[in-house]
Amino acid sequence: TPQEDSATNELVVAISTDVNNWYLDKFPGGDARFVWSQVYETLVRLDTDLNIVPGLAESWETPDDGKTWIFHLRDGVYFHNGAPFDANAVVFSYSDESYVKKMGALRSLDHIETIDENTVKFVLNRPMPLPFYLTHVAWPIMSPDCVDDNGDFVAPIGTGPFKFEKQTPDQEIVLIRNEDYRGDEPVLESVTFKVIPEASTRVMALETKEVDMIIKLPEYEVSRLENEADVNVYRKLTTFTDFLQFNCNNGVFNDKEIRKAVAYSINTEQMLNTVLEGIGTPAKGRPLSPVMMYSKPELDLYEYDVEKAREILSEAGWQDSDNDGILDKNGQPLKAKFIVGKDVWASRHVPMAEAIQGVLQNVGMDVDIQVLESGAITKLENEGQFDMILRSGYFVWGPYPRHFFVHQSFCPYSHYNNTEYDKLANAADSTADPEKQQQLYYDLQDMVLEELPAFYLVHEEKIIVANTYVKGYRITAEDPWLNLDGVYLEGKQ
Amino acid sequence: MTLLSVENLKKYYYSGVFNKKEIRAVDGVDIEIKSGRTLGLVGGSGCGKTTVARTILRLVEPTDGSIVFDGRDITKLRGREMKNLGREMQIIFQNPETSLNPRMKIYDAILEPLTIHKLCSADEENEKIHRLIEIVNLNKELLFRYPHELSGGQLQRVVIARILSLNPKFIVADEATSMLDPLVQAQILNLMKDLQEKLGISYLFISHDMDVVEWMSDEIAVMDKGKIVDWK
Amino acid sequence: MSLLKIQDLKVYFNARGKTVKANNGIDLEIRENEILGLIGETGCGKSILGRAIVGLLSDNVEIRGKIVYKNEDILDLSEDRLRKIRGKDIGIILQNPSAALNPVLSVGNQISEIYRYHENMGKKEARIRTAKMLEMVGIDPKRMHEYPHQFSGGMKQRVMIAMGLALNPGLLIADEPTKGLDPTTKDKIVDLICELVINRNMSLLLITHDLGVAEKMCDRVAVMYAGEIIEIATIENILSNPQHPYTQDLLNSRPKKGLKPTAGESPSLSSPPAGCKFHPRCRCVIGECPKTHPQMIETENGTSVRCFLYEDN
Amino acid sequence: MKKLNDIRNILKEAGNNRMAAIGGAIVILLVLIAILASLLSPHDPFEQKLENRLLNPCFEYPFGTDNLGRCIFSRLIFGTRYSLAIGVVVVGITASVGTTLGIVSGYSRGIIDETLMRIVDIVLAFPGIILALVIAGILGPSFLNVVIAISLTHWPAYTRLVRGITLSLREKEFIEGARALRASNIYIMRRHILPNCINPIIVLATLDIAHAIIFATGLSFLGLGIQPPTPEWGSMLKAGIPYFRISPHLTFFPGTAIMVTVMAFNFLGDGLRDMIDPKINEIILVSE
Amino acid sequence: MLKYILKRIFLVFFVVIGVTIVTFSTMHFAPGDPAEVIAVARYGDDLTQEQIDWVRVTEGFDSPVYIQYLKWIKHVSRLDLGRSLVTSHDILEEITIRLPATFKLAVSSLVISLCIAIPAGIISAVRKNTIIDHLCMSAALLGVSIPNFWLGLLLIWLFSLTLHLFPSYGYGGCEHLVLPAITLGTSMAAITTRLTRSSMLDVLNQEYIVTAKAKGLDEKTIILRHALKNAMLPVITFAGLQLGFLLGGAVIVETIFAWPGIGKLLVDSIYARDFAMVQGCVLFIAVLFAFTNLIVDITYAFLDPRIRYEKT
Ligand SMILES: Nc1ncnc2c1ncn2[C@@H]1O[C@H](COP(=O)(O)OP(=O)(O)OP(=O)(O)O)[C@@H](O)[C@H]1O
Ligand SMILES: Nc1ncnc2c1ncn2[C@@H]1O[C@H](COP(=O)(O)OP(=O)(O)OP(=O)(O)O)[C@@H](O)[C@H]1O
Ligand SMILES: [Mg+2]
Ligand SMILES: [Mg+2]
């Protein structure tokens, strides 16, 4: 039985960035969320297939179609320091101090009331499907003891299956088993997250068995590792979709037809099978991953058709008059400035961008790629100094399609102005009736496909690789989670 | 007729950052040189001979004192006047190997003063140079060599030739022959004497070697610790 | 009695494709207890000869001939044996003391290591001997812990002398020990060397181009020109009755004799003129001179000279 | 005629100096490759054939293809341009600026010299790559910014070298002689000092080209170098790293190209140093 | 010597001031509105103008540059480098936590490089133009020519993955140190070898070596006693500069081997546009570098009697 093996029941997981924030006043960047998800828990949780299930809240209800939400908290749950979990902790966790309240998705949260020790009431400014929002790992429930009397952060104290033990900056974070965990006590004695920034090093560390499990494996390593006998590769379609966002406010992509031409020129299926080694699902413009809620099954997707793309361009008046392979109109060449981020989160983006550049070159568009860090991107974005950006999963967590906010005109990332769209997105988010909501989201998807504020490329597949002696792992669809429920080690040397 | 008269010439050097130290390289020197004559300057090592020479040529600025050359006080000259002074007084150095730019052919080295002072046009230049090297008795084959391909005596002749192109009235020879072999030294010293007779040049002849100075000079000043201590 | 006998010594350098014949057939004998002067113009090969005697030339050089020191040919010796001879039997004072002293070792150390290495002396004993040596050359032994850069030129020269004499060698080679010194210091050094050499019954090969120094110190003088010895005679004979035209010119070029000039330049060692090497500058060229290379000829009073003018004598 | 002889002598010397000859030959070859890139490359370096990706070296693709199906051989050939350009442009800028400052500093001494040398000290107080990293990080990655970043860190080496030479030249009589001729300072710096600094500068510059190329590679690794799809060797190497287990040719060829080029310039620099002036010490290598 | 040391110390002081100005100005004259950059770093995705303005006021970006500098320098002089813009952690603390790792890596690379380079350099010089010289020099040339991140990966592949000799990443015992130290030490060893060789050759051509030979000393004594100390002087000076190489090269090596040092902190901060942290790291490294060179200079003064006994 696994328990007997406890001497080696210490899991080592490699991640790419350190956890440099443990407190709710900031967003946990990079891979920090994998670690947070072991220490902290949320009121509402998702199971491995994105079904919404009780977390720290046992149940919830909304008496007024989404403007007020009442959560009944689980009894007999204790924080890592032994203090009981209660309504105060919820109020603390969603106070004005918290990131999610201050900057994030819960800005329309008016206030929280404690009804009794185990009941809290969230009052919103407008109707919202709040339980979905509360599944996000990045805004979990923390103990008020996380801070001292002056409000300075002391230690990460949550209710999760593992307790924070120690952290050595840029090296490792050690978590140990929470003996008093509310659910099934974890088999693992401890989980150590090792910080290894370089992807190749991460893979080699797994192969030398210096680490047991790696997250965010680069696509190109998958097929090789799938053939290795002593590693297991776990794959599952996630909630994330990579998309090519256009600057519709000015420049060439102001013209919807040109955006369409781009969509027809990109063969997402081929890109997926080559650049991404077949990992993921081609989106062909579908804005929502099939695993997402309200993802419309029947959509009028873009099938690869260069000829059509060429046709559209020439109809729009773009001709190659000087025979340099680049189309031009009124003496202006067809040029686009293409921004790509270099986050560890999306190492695949650079080769994808290059591939896109290649195909667009093919239809006569001169694409200039700029690989930048997020700060630099923000700057160019604000100044409107770009034509396309390659992005992944903004406002995406859990199955709920909050992502559509990204194209609303007031969103800093939108670069798209369409009052109709804005209205539709708002309405969809504020509608409590599931059927109506579904219809609204279906309409939104059709609209995105028709209007193309962005062309959706691939639905991302999550990859976790572990050595075969890691048993009992079940991969979750939602990305920031690392589900170690039921994991144990057997026969590790 | 007096060509150069130096009065109360002083040159102090200062060294040290924290505690300034004063080195009195030249400390009140009076010198007089007549037209067409040679003044010998002798003295132990480090007594200030070179410094006297360099200050007279205004290669270093004197701390105090006056230098009257050809009737003009030259201590305060600037700009154009200073440049013209270069045509009248010149210097020959001790070490022939470093007296010429190693990257300049002999021809260019001799031509250089003429170009700097814009004294000849391109078509005259060849002829002029040939005349000059004839005066100092140099083979014209050497003109297109680099300095390191010449011997010390030949180099010293080149130095003299280029100086002569300016027709100077006064030349300082700072141990001009002390690095040369006796045979060559004799050649150079004889050449200098010849030139003096022909062109009426005045010399300030600096040397360690009393015998040589006696042979060269009309008058001899002996220096010690920055001062003239004897005058023969 | 001859202490060192050099026979037909040839030292050729291979420099950038050219052969520099720095010494080209030197025959020379140094007798016991004698001071032999070696004079000649810059670059004629004096220092090379001095170094060749001690086997201190670099590897890219071709040496032929014989250098016999006390029945041993130095050129045939093993490196080990040579090492024993150096310093112990033959000492050398190199030309430029500023460069020849190691800047990072104290002066005392540089002398005492000779004792420690050759005579296996203890530190203390070596230091006492060093102090004695320094005292002998007129340097306060207390300064033995100082470094070369703290010494003046004359003092460095003295240190070099102390080093050369440390083991009482039978033969000392002094390469221009007075170069670059002011007249007073020069006199002191000359006196010092004379005194030490005479007191210790050793021989000295004094390389110089200062005739004044040679006059003061030497018994005999060899005159070198372009890698050859062209005249050997007692110092008196050289001064009063020079035979070779070059020697005569050399003497006449002194200020005392009115600085009489000689035309021409010294020849290059890589392509010397044919025949007598001095003939292009010579006042008394005769028919043979440009064609045949003259041999050494004995003339009166034990003078040898390499000149056709004396052929018939 | 005389010039011709000089050149012949240099060539002869180069022939004697095997290292310099090999280095020089490779450098000339690289320059030719860079010039004739479009003639020599069998494929368009930017052309992607996704169906041909990650091919091993074969007849059609001598060095195989990369992850986007581009011909590595062609990309390497075009990459010669970028690597050489980085080296040459950087060295061109740093050598001319550094030399000018060095001459001015050494010749004028006094306050100008002090100021310049203190600036040099300050720049040298930053380890080169760190300064370059920060500059490239701030300015954003591009060819120009890479050149700026490397140039800003490399000029002090020249200033120091040239200043040293200038100071020793100043002591030489021929400079004082020129002053006695009343030549202007600018004339002296240009005609007397500069020509005497040229040889060591050439040596340093040659070695520095090698250094700049390696340096740019480091920046590429950190993602602050020249950006894809530009076929710059450093970024090709970096882009190939993920594949170095399955398709090692993606890293092998660019890596080798970098190594060979850097070695060639080092060979040439070393050889030139031995030829021109054996006395310039290795110290000048330490331009870091 | 006192004068020499005082002068050095004065210079270092001066350099440090200069370094602060450079560091400060690079960050402040960087393109883009610093307040906005910070706001992005701090609040990430959703960003409003008020937030930017708020950052501008709280961080003091609205006052004149020199005031900002003086304010900053006042803090710095009290060893207060401020807080990270992203994590709000104390910068100096973050740096000092990582100092041991960088120090360990730097020292071991230095030791490795010196242990290989100095003997190799000496042997090549003494046996100039022999097989062993050519071998050493070719190896050295290879060492400077190989991009070190590639070398690092090849080493991991060979020694960890194939031979299972050393761990592929991480910080810990000696076995962790081997590969990063070799990677970092290689190019340095290569340069040091070349430097040692040429310096040694230079020394061996000096007249005092001839003097030593003339004394009849054997080769060993001549090399170890007479040549080595002189030849080491430039190498020692270089060892100080090497630290710069080390700190610079560490940036790359630390990334590959997941070595938790300052270099990695710096790179991460650059990516995160955490300018306060970048500023802190660069300042720290530069000051550290300046002081190491001061120590090297002083050591040099002790070793070189020409400076040790300089008259004051
Ligand atoms: N630039 C300078 N800075 C400081 N001191 C100097 C400088 N130039 C010369 N001195 C000092 O001035 C003194 C006189 O020097 P000078 O060169 O004039 O002597 P000298 O008589 O020509 O000596 P020598 O015979 O050795 O050529 C010396 O003590 C020297 O150290
Ligand atoms: N290593 C070498 N390679 C080539 N030529 C050399 C070498 N060493 C010396 N020479 C040449 O050998 C000749 C003799 O040199 P040497 O040092 O013996 O002259 P010298 O008579 O001592 O001159 P000085 O009076 O200037 O000391 C010179 O022409 C010199 O250029
Ligand atoms: Mg003088
Ligand atoms: Mg000599």
Side-chain angles (χ1 to χ4, degrees), chain C residues 43 46-48 95 175-176 207:
Chain C
K46 306 182 296 288
S47 301
I48 298 294
Q95 197 164 358
D175 195 347
E176 308 205 33
I207 301 174

Side-chain angles (χ1 to χ4, degrees), chain D residues 131-175:
Chain D
L131 195 55
L133 198 68
V134 172
I135 295 168
I138 288 174
L139 298 180
S142 75
F143 179 82
L144 184 68
N145 293 342
V146 167
V147 167
I148 292 176
I150 305 180
S151 300
L152 279 174
T153 56
H154 274 53
W155 64 270
Y158 294 88
T159 307
R160 280 218 164 156
L161 173 75
V162 169
R163 175 179 176 267
I165 300 171
T166 309
L167 282 181
S168 67
L169 285 176
R170 251 198 90 110
E171 305 296 314
K172 296 275 160 66
E173 279 92 344
F174 72 89
I175 300 289

Side-chain angles (χ1 to χ4, degrees), chain A residues 155-197:
Chain A
I157 302 169
T159 57
F162 293 92
K163 293 196 275 196
F164 176 84
E165 171 73 10
K166 67 173 202 261
Q167 178 178 22
T168 325
D170 280 351
Q171 278 181 63
E172 60 176 21
I173 304 115
V174 181
L175 308 179
I176 53 166
R177 174 161 63 197
N178 176 9
E179 312 277 354
D180 300 322
Y181 186 57
R182 62 174 173 87
D184 298 332
E185 193 184 313
V187 181
L188 293 172
E189 294 260 290
S190 71
V191 182
T192 304
F193 288 93
K194 295 273 187 187
V195 184
I196 308 181

Side-chain angles (χ1 to χ4, degrees), chain A residues 19-275:
Chain A
V19 180
N20 47 31
N21 171 42
W22 289 99
Y23 190 45
L24 45 71
D25 65 334
K26 287 198 190 70
F27 195 78
D31 286 357
R33 276 162 273 180
F34 295 115
V35 186
W36 274 41
S37 66
Q38 311 308 318
V39 176
Y40 300 125
E41 287 183 299
T42 46
L43 283 182
V44 181
R45 294 198 54 170
L46 297 165
D47 71 7
T48 53
D49 294 316
L50 296 176
N51 299 309
I52 205 154
V53 293
L56 287 171
E58 238 164 1
S59 61
W60 50 86
E61 73 239 9
T62 172
D64 54 358
D65 277 353
K67 256 195 99 170
T68 319
W69 289 86
I70 295 161
F71 289 87
H72 303 284
L73 307 182
R74 215 180 270 273
D75 202 9
V77 177
Y78 294 93
F79 281 111
H80 295 157
N81 64 348
F85 158 73
D86 57 14
N88 281 335
V90 179
V91 174
F92 169 79
S93 298
Y94 298 104
S95 67
D96 288 347
E97 173 88 345
S98 74
Y99 176 84
V100 64
K101 180 82 208 310
K102 205 163 49 179
M103 311 294 166
L106 290 190
R107 258 181 295 197
S108 31
L109 173 65
D110 189 74
H111 65 277
I112 313 176
E113 293 163 26
T114 54
I115 293 176
D116 59 37
E117 211 165 275
N118 284 328
T119 317
V120 279
K121 182 162 101 184
F122 285 67
V123 179
L124 306 167
N125 291 329
R126 62 176 179 87
M128 262 168 77
L130 189 61
F132 287 114
Y133 281 68
L134 296 185
T135 60
H136 199 312
V137 185
W139 32 90
I141 304 296
M142 292 190 188
S143 162
D145 297 334
C146 283
V147 290
D148 62 16
D149 294 341
N150 300 325
D152 292 330
F153 182 75
V154 211
I157 302 169
T159 57
F162 293 92
K163 293 196 275 196
F164 176 84
E165 171 73 10
K166 67 173 202 261
Q167 178 178 22
T168 325
D170 280 351
Q171 278 181 63
E172 60 176 21
I173 304 115
V174 181
L175 308 179
I176 53 166
R177 174 161 63 197
N178 176 9
E179 312 277 354
D180 300 322
Y181 186 57
R182 62 174 173 87
D184 298 332
E185 193 184 313
V187 181
L188 293 172
E189 294 260 290
S190 71
V191 182
T192 304
F193 288 93
K194 295 273 187 187
V195 184
I196 308 181
E198 183 55 32
S200 324
T201 316
R202 263 195 318 274
V203 175
M204 288 193 273
L206 178 87
E207 289 179 75
T208 56
K209 304 198 166 42
E210 288 166 82
V211 302
D212 306 321
M213 176 184 274
I214 54 178
I215 306 175
K216 295 207 152 292
L217 180 80
E219 289 78 10
Y220 35 76
E221 296 273 21
V222 171
S223 56
R224 186 175 62 80
L225 287 178
E226 278 181 334
N227 291 325
E228 298 265 330
D230 51 358
V231 294
N232 287 330
V233 178
Y234 302 90
R235 296 165 53 170
K236 191 159 197 161
L237 212 55
T238 69
T239 51
F240 279 52
T241 303
D242 290 346
F243 58 103
L244 185 63
Q245 189 176 7
F246 300 105
N247 182 353
C248 310
N249 291 336
N250 49 42
V252 277
F253 297 122
N254 195 6
D255 181 352
K256 185 169 83 185
E257 293 305 312
I258 308 293
R259 306 204 286 265
K260 280 198 172 155
V262 170
Y264 282 116
S265 350
I266 300 176
N267 185 344
T268 58
E269 195 154 0
Q270 187 200 34
M271 185 156 81
L272 184 99
N273 287 330
T274 54
V275 180

Side-chain angles (χ1 to χ4, degrees), chain D:
Chain D
M1 186 57 214
K2 199 79 196 171
K3 266 261 149 56
L4 210 75
N5 261 337
D6 287 356
I7 292 168
R8 204 175 299 153
N9 279 340
I10 287 180
L11 285 181
K12 212 168 114 191
E13 291 247 2
N16 291 339
N17 190 329
R18 231 182 315 152
M19 279 196 345
I22 296 173
I26 299 179
V27 169
I28 291 172
L29 193 70
L30 287 169
V31 172
L32 285 180
I33 291 177
I35 294 170
L36 303 176
S38 33
L39 291 179
L40 293 172
S41 54
H43 299 269
D44 176 351
F46 296 97
E47 186 197 30
Q48 304 172 359
K49 287 218 175 97
L50 287 174
E51 61 277 15
N52 283 347
R53 59 197 302 268
L54 299 179
L55 290 184
N56 282 331
C58 57
F59 182 73
E60 175 158 21
Y61 297 104
F63 290 172
T65 58
D66 69 2
N67 54 330
L68 294 170
R70 294 174 295 202
C71 170
I72 293 180
F73 183 66
S74 309
R75 287 176 70 71
L76 279 183
I77 284 178
F78 273 88
T80 318
R81 288 187 174 171
Y82 296 93
S83 289
L84 290 188
I86 287 182
V88 171
V89 174
V90 164
V91 166
I93 295 172
T94 52
S96 44
V97 173
T99 303
T100 313
L101 293 180
I103 291 180
V104 169
S105 184
Y107 187 74
S108 40
R109 298 200 274 201
I111 187 82
I112 297 178
D113 182 34
E114 278 296 313
T115 317
L116 278 170
M117 288 333 284
R118 292 301 78 79
I119 292 174
V120 164
D121 283 341
I122 291 167
V123 175
L124 287 179
F126 297 94
I129 189 134
I130 287 189
L131 195 55
L133 198 68
V134 172
I135 295 168
I138 288 174
L139 298 180
S142 75
F143 179 82
L144 184 68
N145 293 342
V146 167
V147 167
I148 292 176
I150 305 180
S151 300
L152 279 174
T153 56
H154 274 53
W155 64 270
Y158 294 88
T159 307
R160 280 218 164 156
L161 173 75
V162 169
R163 175 179 176 267
I165 300 171
T166 309
L167 282 181
S168 67
L169 285 176
R170 251 198 90 110
E171 305 296 314
K172 296 275 160 66
E173 279 92 344
F174 72 89
I175 300 289
E176 189 140 24
R179 294 216 296 134
L181 291 173
R182 310 296 170 201
S184 69
N185 287 338
I186 299 206
Y187 176 90
I188 293 175
M189 290 189 234
R190 195 169 46 91
R191 291 278 297 161
H192 289 291
I193 297 182
L194 183 62
N196 282 290
C197 300
I198 283 290
N199 282 344
I201 291 171
I202 289 175
V203 173
L204 176 59
T206 314
L207 297 172
D208 221 26
I209 290 180
H211 196 244
I213 292 174
I214 274 280
F215 211 83
T217 315
L219 286 182
S220 287
F221 171 75
L222 294 170
L224 295 168
I226 295 171
Q227 296 300 306
T230 311
E232 193 258 337
W233 293 343
S235 51
M236 284 172 72
L237 182 56
K238 152 95 173 160
I241 281 179
Y243 302 90
F244 103 104
R245 302 282 300 287
I246 28 174
S247 304
H249 64 270
L250 260 65
T251 43
F252 178 79
F253 291 110
T256 311
I258 293 169
M259 264 170 54
V260 168
T261 309
V262 170
M263 273 209 241
F265 278 104
N266 272 317
F267 265 141
L268 185 63
D270 282 356
L272 284 177
R273 176 179 43 221
D274 291 351
M275 253 157 62
I276 292 176
D277 191 353
K279 280 196 209 80
I280 319 170
N281 233 327
E282 195 85 7
I283 296 171
I284 61 167
L285 245 187
V286 188
S287 47
E288 185 61 355

